[in-house]
């Protein structure tokens, strides 16, 4: 087996940097079956790429991502470019036989996602989609508690993912707000996709939805100061029925004043409940109806070495958990998935489902009615 | 003007007792235009009524509520009986020219509610519906902040009212679970009505809804230990569009493990947000986008003498607020509404709206589509 | 046995009103062995007393408290006057054979407290000191959990009582800040006494202390706008060793920005811990080391009908608890203590201990060393 | 100027690993004046060292730390060995002209700390002591707010550092519990030193203390299962007066059930307050008395790119912060301190003060009185 895996990363912005930080620290954090190497970085121009490569510790760089995805030395391609570029890049990387980790949302449409998934399956390469928030030990604990029956049968799911980074209407136009570059699913595609994927992970696939999304600030200034139309939603709300029959709701926003990283879920079972808030990401709230009546209450479990993965970061309970720490868990999953000792989730195939849910919500808004979603497999 | 108001209360259970406690303490708490007197109590049997009257401090009692509502000495009738009795009792009281406070939900159907409202209007009597949770100083503060523009324009409302008093499937059958006595709106009618009314109060009337409700525990043992069918929902979720165009969501449950009094609302505006949780009823969370960027955050405002009504209970900020304290504010509103110095809200007429929303949610579930709600007036 | 108890209350300010509210509501809240009657009110002038008596619902009033304490119809005297008057009033009431509830702190000195306690003992009357915060169901639950061994052996106590009502240095001089009227124990005597009494209640008597108190705002304007010297401390900190050998600390303040009712305690045991904060008075935080390791965490227990006294106020868990509700529990204790079915705690005799602790802290500051406190009995 | 700095780390346990993780990720996180290289690792045996070096990504390893500290290629020595070894190792490293970062507590005694500080000063090398918790953006923000006068003049400091990792009395004896290896300051030296240093950082040096520490579990089983005496305290409490005259208190424990990383501070000023809890390390609570009265409350500031250092880890506010992230800030400080663009704090010289405070607390316990601490400089 290979003991090194050469990574080629496309994009050195928010997520490109996070990948680099994670890959650098990873071998010191986790025992690994193969050592990741930050081999090549691609961005949109050669000079910028060279500079970023130096800053982030890549050996090589390029202004042409096609060079990267076809480079024979590269084992794994990481796609951290704006969403509209994911498909072309992923297909090229897959065609070149590379394993691919691609940022969320996987693509501009569910059919594109399906095409990418099919290509990967046919090529037999490993894939992973960057739904990093599920890589938190607190959520891994939630998954354990659900599976071990600690909260009984699930009867309700309530999810949110609220942020406010676009609440100021004077903030400028960007690719995220344009149909062409980010689809007509705005908060729905960019943000809600995280909590949809989380719902899929924890409660299984979604069968039906009905929803409504809104643009709150319909125009924003472009680079020339002219007002341009925002082309996708600022906030969204929908009801969902899981394939299991369980009912739930999801809301997401990029204009929710005061919420910075408000990915929350409340999962109600017949014997207990779980509550999680990503703003306090190192805690899981757990209620057990099996406690004596006078001692019942939600308890705040601080993640620690008793919980999945945490002990590799620190052996003291409650010592904190950072954004890049989740990316490290994600990269560990990827490497061990490639190594064959872990199931990769969500692969491109798995992530088609969240894209389909997003589109079903949009259709339900047009038709003012519930819309069915194609069947999908539960998370392992 | 009369300086005493004789109250006749029907029912001495959960709410009947609360009314008595509130009326007894009220004159010492608030300056009042008229002193309430606990004059007569009616329950379903004369002997029990007499005993309860002694315990709760009523002068007189009866096992026949008709006697109470027609007694010439009675000025105000309080209806704290099971919901299916409200209509008959209220109509009789109105016919006798009494002012009426009636527990929520007002009736088994919106048309009954309308009939009751019409009767009251025609008779020219004052009415109030027992949506006590809105009588909290924290919510009065929320209302103030909304009206003064502190959070800008409202763009989203998220409400819940989750409790778990029926989460145990072995708990016995009761009138609350039967169509005949409590309508086919279970958690939707009994519990969600509080948060629907709150939404109406804070954000105005609702124009359209789509929702889904479920029975989680379909059978429960009756007095003979036989399993009987539960006839109304244990939990409900729906989306709503306010007449203002603002979008929102509401969820309610009587089986939500761990939530005891989970009436919460989050109101997002273009300049700030509010969050309230009835389990910490003496706090309002407020986020202002006008704070300097590095100092922004939700602040926990503890209610105190600077806020509406609180100083009458205690002059120290943050010294707590109890269930019966809200009933006292409600009774103060009623007395001063009768006295003509306060607007009574929600009157029977105002409360028709929440009944209509409940029915629209049920219709939307049958039709699997959005359903319009008749126009209603905003809260004053 | 008497079925009515005539109360004579001295003072109609903050606490005088609270007593009236509580006594009015009490018979409807609790089953009682005797019904309290608001018979007579005394304040410093006859006219004001008459007006307050009308507002608060007393039958009679007087501008001369001596008239009240000697009135043959009065069974119980409630002393809600400024602290420097407590002793004279209490001794007179005791001399007249009345039961007495007196606000905290009991007196200006421990020796005065002892004198009052001795008089009461000799006269055989019942007494209670107004340490109302311990009358909360959450604290009653804490006491239960300690006694049942739920948290093992206590190894540490940390208490605070922080408020900020005097943080603004331009607030005027008042009797509370003068040695003559409130002793030279400011925050220490007025505020810390609550948490000292709580420590006594939950962990037993204190054996030794060392502390330091400070005046933060040394001068304040009097009625004429002239600056006058503040004569007692604004904040205090001390360490304490309980008679049991357990170590702890207490801090109190009237100038602690942001703390409104910051009476908190953390009690650490060998098997678990308790944490309470009066600003969220309807909750007790409980940690149990007996929970499985991966499920350990502080749980938030909302008080409800499973806990002491709560069900008399409301049968729904987590529905809130108010300042006056604690006074009601206190008055119930008093009435049933007089009736002989409850132990009254803290009686005047019991409360001597907190006064002695206060004085020991002051002595320890002068001597810069630990100071022993006279032995006292634990709470029952 | 050198563009690489070769690090030699002694110890590969809890902190040795953390150093390695931080150094690996650092160049991708921060722009740096020199790139750190994980050059050599020393542990107590050659074979283990070689294995750890492979796991943690060091080029070279040794079983003899003297080899490391005298190796000419090494620029910076990191000391992550048990405390009793710090002095010998640091003096040797300093003698060899190396810069040194040493874990806390610096040494077994204040006089040892002074000797180490003097040696470093004379040698002109840079030093830093591993008080990593102060390297959190939330605390950097607290420092800013204090300095900018946002909370007025400080009037009180309350600090705790409570953990429970030794609450179970059956846990085995270890070097931490022995006078010879960890001094007779147990929780006081090992844990309280963090919060003492934090107090020094935020409020300046300490002038006087009085305290008391206790051993809760006096015996623990050794490797042979025999009970051996624990030789230093499990918990400690002390009062302190800062050189500024401000009064405060500190408590620390290693047996405080339920507290996992309970480093907290509350800093009260004349215009506002700050509260921090390391268990929610990505938040600072801030109260401002300048807010309008009806809108005052503690606000929860989630750290984000507006606050010191955070943006290098993630550009989204409230996205979490981990234990190793603090070590990265610490290592950045070290590198830039060596580079001359940052003031290193606390250097060995600065850290003498916390050692002196620890010893003064122990002396105060013996003498049962307040004990003065030698003057020290405030943090820059
Ligand atoms: N998982 C998560 O938490 C997050 C995921 N994302 C996702 O990551 C992706 C990237 O977003 P950000 O990092 O925020 O974007 P960004 O704007 O910070 O960075 C985009 C990068 O892509 C590069 N790029 C653009 N066009 C290119 C081209 N033609 N060839 C090569 N490189 C090109 C740019 O040079 C830049 O380095 C998006 O799909 C986004 O949805 C973004 C933020 C958080
Ligand atoms: N606002 C709030 O927070 C709450 C409102 N409620 C509402 O209050 C109403 C009563 O509920 P609870 O107090 O919980 O019921 P409960 O079962 O505790 O008490 C019902 C009372 O009605 C009396 N009653 C029944 N039939 C009667 C008759 N034919 N004539 C005279 N009296 C009769 C019973 O004797 C009993 O005293 C319901 O409409 C319920 O929805 C209930 C609980 C909380
Ligand atoms: N347990 C608690 O939570 C609290 C206890 N207290 C205690 O209650 C006592 C009273 O404090 P507040 O109610 O805040 O005072 P206040 O200033 O609000 O009221 C004092 C009352 O005493 C009356 N009074 C004064 N001199 C009198 C005289 N010579 N004869 C008859 N009446 C006289 C005044 O007319 C006034 O009605 C104090 O000992 C205080 O420490 C105060 C507040 C809270
Ligand atoms: N800043 C913080 O948050 C923390 C600081 N510490 C401090 O870090 C220091 C180390 O503690 P831990 O990492 O918990 O210890 P540990 O027991 O996990 O690791 C100690 C390391 O020192 C090595 N070592 C022991 N004797 C040696 C020798 N003679 N030569 C070379 N290496 C030797 C061991 O091989 C081991 O790798 C202590 O001073 C402790 O107080 C510990 C934990 C947290």
């Amino acid at each position: 087996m290979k003991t090194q895996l050469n990574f080629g990363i496309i994009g050195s912005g928010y997520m490109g940097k996070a990948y680099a930080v994670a890959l650098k620290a990873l071998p010191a954090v986790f025992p690994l079956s193969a050592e990741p190497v930050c081999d090549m970085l691609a961005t949109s121009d050669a000079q910028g790429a060279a500079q970023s490569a130096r800053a982030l510790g890549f050996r090589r760089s390029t202004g042409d991502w096609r060079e990267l995805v076809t480079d024979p030395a590269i084992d794994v391609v990481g796609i951290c470019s704006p969403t509209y570029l994911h498909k072309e890049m992923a297909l090229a990387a897959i065609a070149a036989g590379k394993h691919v980790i691609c940022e969320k949302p996987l693509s501009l449409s569910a059919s594109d996602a399906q095409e990418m998934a099919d290509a990967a399956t046919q090529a037999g390469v490993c894939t992973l989609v960057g739904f990093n928030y599920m890589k938190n030990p607190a959520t891994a604990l939630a998954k354990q508690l659900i599976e071990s029956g600690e909260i009984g049968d699930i009867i309700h799911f309530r999810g949110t993912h609220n942020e406010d980074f676009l609440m100021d209407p004077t903030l400028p136009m960007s690719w995220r707000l344009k149909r062409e570059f980010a689809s007509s699913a705005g908060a729905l595609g960019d943000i809600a996709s995280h909590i949809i994927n989380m719902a899929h992970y924890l409660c299984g696939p979604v069968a039906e939805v009905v929803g409504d999304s809104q643009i709150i600030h319909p125009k924003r200034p472009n680079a020339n100061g002219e007002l341009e139309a925002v082309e996708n939603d600022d906030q969204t709300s929908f009801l969902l029925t899981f394939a299991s029959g369980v009912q739930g709701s999801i809301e997401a926003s990029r204009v929710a004043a005061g919420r910075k990283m408000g990915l929350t879920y409340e999962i109600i079972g017949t014997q207990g409940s779980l509550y999680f808030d990503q703003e306090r990401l190192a805690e899981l709230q757990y209620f057990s109806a099996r406690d004596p009546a006078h001692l019942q209450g939600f308890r705040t479990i601080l993640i620690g070495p008793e919980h999945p993965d945490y002990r590799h970061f620190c052996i003291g309970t409650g010592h904190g958990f950072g954004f890049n720490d989740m990316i490290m868990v994600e990269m560990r999953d990827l490497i061990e998935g490639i190594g064959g000792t872990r199931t990769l989730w969500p692969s491109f195939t798995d992530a088609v489902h969240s894209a389909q849910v997003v589109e079903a919500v949009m259709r339900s808004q047009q038709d003012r009615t519930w819309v069915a979603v194609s069947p999908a497999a539960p998370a392992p």
Side-chain angles (χ1 to χ4, degrees), chain A:
Chain A
M1 202 185 100
K2 288 197 67 168
T3 55
Q4 291 203 330
L5 281 174
N6 285 330
F7 276 70
I9 305 295
I10 308 176
S12 64
Y14 189 157
M15 292 311 299
K17 176 174 176 177
Y19 279 31
V21 169
L23 291 172
K24 289 289 173 181
L26 201 61
V29 171
F30 284 104
L32 295 171
S33 62
E35 193 194 347
V37 175
C38 287
D39 189 9
M40 196 189 286
L41 180 73
T43 71
S44 38
D45 72 304
Q47 209 179 322
Q51 201 176 323
S52 293
R54 264 194 309 280
L56 300 177
F58 284 82
R59 290 171 179 163
R60 303 183 289 161
S61 65
T62 174
D64 174 9
W65 62 266
R66 294 194 177 272
E67 198 183 317
L68 181 150
V69 298
T70 54
D71 187 288
I74 296 293
D75 300 303
V76 187
V77 172
I79 302 178
C80 299
S81 54
T83 307
Y84 70 99
L85 294 169
H86 293 181
K87 182 185 171 188
E88 193 182 2
M89 290 170 171
L91 290 179
I94 290 165
K98 312 301 186 193
H99 305 299
V100 184
I101 175 168
C102 181
E103 264 315 302
K104 49 56 52 186
L106 185 50
S107 58
L108 297 185
S109 70
S111 62
D112 281 0
Q114 189 64 61
E115 194 180 330
M116 294 157 79
D118 291 345
T121 306
Q122 237 165 330
V125 298
C126 293
T127 58
L128 189 63
V129 181
F131 287 114
N132 43 296
Y133 296 117
M134 58 165 284
K135 303 299 180 179
N136 179 337
T139 288
L141 173 62
K143 177 88 170 159
Q144 271 185 2
L145 297 184
I146 291 168
E147 281 172 4
S148 65
E150 216 73 48
I151 61 166
D153 296 328
I154 295 176
I155 60 169
H156 194 71
F157 174 89
R158 179 179 311 111
T160 69
H161 189 154
N162 291 318
E163 307 199 12
D164 68 1
F165 59 90
L166 286 174
M167 77 165 284
D168 178 352
T170 68
L171 285 176
M173 181 52 58
S174 88
W175 66 262
R176 278 177 206 276
L177 312 179
K178 288 293 183 186
R179 201 172 300 129
E180 189 183 346
F181 303 122
S183 93
S184 31
L188 176 57
D190 186 29
I191 300 177
S193 55
H194 275 298
I195 183 70
I196 294 169
N197 179 70
M198 190 73 93
H200 184 184
Y201 178 57
L202 295 171
C203 302
V206 172
E208 246 188 320
V209 295
V210 64
D212 191 87
S213 311
Q214 302 91 39
I215 297 176
I216 298 298
H217 300 306
K219 287 186 185 301
R220 289 183 181 271
N222 66 16
N224 308 323
E226 292 146 8
L227 288 179
E228 255 185 50
V230 169
E231 295 176 351
N232 53 35
D233 62 272
D234 287 321
Q235 64 181 19
T236 186
S237 305
F238 56 99
L239 305 181
L240 61 165
T241 309
F242 290 91
S244 65
V246 169
Q247 206 274 348
S249 73
I250 283 182
E251 297 195 296
S253 177
R254 57 194 187 196
V255 294
R259 300 300 168 197
K260 303 302 176 181
M261 184 54 237
L263 185 158
T264 72
Y265 55 79
E266 175 152 332
I267 299 177
I268 299 171
T270 51
Q271 297 290 328
S273 291
L274 301 172
Y275 178 75
F276 172 79
D277 180 350
Q278 179 72 16
E279 289 184 356
R280 289 178 168 165
L281 83 169
E283 298 176 7
L284 185 69
Q285 301 282 336
Y286 166 56
F287 176 89
S288 174
R290 293 179 188 123
D291 287 333
H294 69 302
L295 296 179
Q296 289 182 4
F298 274 92
R299 69 183 85 154
T300 302
I301 303 174
L302 294 171
I303 57 174
E306 302 81 10
H307 306 127
D309 297 325
Y310 181 93
R311 75 190 163 87
H312 297 285
F313 294 89
C314 183
I315 58 173
T317 298
H319 280 48
F321 210 71
F323 181 75
N324 295 315
D325 294 342
M326 289 179 298
I327 313 294
M328 289 185 213
V329 176
E330 188 172 40
M331 293 297 162
R332 189 274 323 266
D333 281 6
L334 177 62
I335 290 166
E336 300 310 319
I338 292 169
T341 61
R342 279 197 175 245
T343 307
L344 280 168
W345 204 91
S347 69
F348 283 12
T349 300
D350 303 315
V352 169
H353 185 57
S354 48
Q356 288 175 334
V357 171
V358 164
E359 294 189 355
V361 172
M362 291 193 289
R363 241 175 7 258
S364 85
Q365 179 160 10
Q366 271 169 10
D367 301 352
R368 309 300 286 161
T369 185
W370 287 80
V371 166
V373 185
S374 310

